[in-house]
Each structure stands twice: as C-alpha cells, then as structure tokens.
Amino acid sequence: MRERELCRMLLGDLSLRQIAAELGRTENTLKTHRRHLYGKLGVSTRDELRALAVREPSLWDGFRPSRARQVPENTHAEQDSGWSASD
C-alpha cells in the first residue's frame, strides 16, 4: 500500500469502504494502513489530517489529493511527486 495514495484518498470525500473498493483492498486492511499513516503524521482523524495539510504546507509539496475535497492552494499541492509519510 502506498501511503501517498491512501493519504490522497483520505483527503477526499470517499468513505473508507469506497476507497477499499477503488484500491481492491479490504476495508480492514485500509483501517490498518490508515492507523499506521495517522500515527506517523501524529493525527487521529481525517479532519486532523486536513488541518495538518493546511498547517504544514511543506509536508505536501508535490502532493495532490484526489476527488472532490482538495487541499487549499496555500499547501503547494500542484505537483504529484515523491511525498511519503516516512520521509
């Protein structure tokens, strides 16, 4: 599971079930990946993840979320290149 891909989808408006279907993974697998990602980023909810995207724009350089909900422009999310929560 690519953390960047999951994070991008979590920033959108899809439910975890919809994300699982789109990625061909089970919902429980995504819950595990989400828990690990949130732990690395120090957040507990999607709202906290979105707030982090606004508060720490340098984390999101080169990172573009998918779907309807977009990270605000001040996060420098124009390019799609190598962001990873483990960087």
Side-chain angles (χ1 to χ4, degrees):
M1 164 99 301
R2 292 178 13 175
E3 290 173 333
R4 179 175 50 164
E5 183 178 14
L6 177 58
C7 192
R8 179 182 302 126
M9 296 182 96
L10 289 170
L11 287 169
D13 287 332
L14 294 178
S15 70
L16 198 59
R17 179 173 289 160
Q18 290 169 317
I19 294 171
E22 192 166 312
L23 295 177
R25 302 280 201 280
T26 68
E27 197 171 348
N28 284 333
T29 296
L30 287 188
K31 286 178 182 179
T32 299
H33 289 305
R34 179 184 62 187
R35 186 177 65 246
H36 292 154
L37 178 65
Y38 283 6
K40 286 182 180 184
L41 295 174
V43 300
S44 300
T45 66
R46 281 188 181 198
D47 286 338
E48 289 178 9
L49 180 64
R50 291 177 183 125
L52 179 64
V54 172
R55 193 173 59 250
E56 300 290 340
S58 62
L59 288 176
W60 311 101
D61 285 345
F63 180 79
R64 182 178 52 238
S66 66
R67 299 292 174 193
R69 183 165 294 190
Q70 297 289 315
V71 175
E73 288 180 18
N74 66 350
T75 62
H76 309 289
E78 291 83 21
Q79 301 173 12
D80 187 16
S81 63
W83 179 86
S84 171
S86 60
D87 288 348

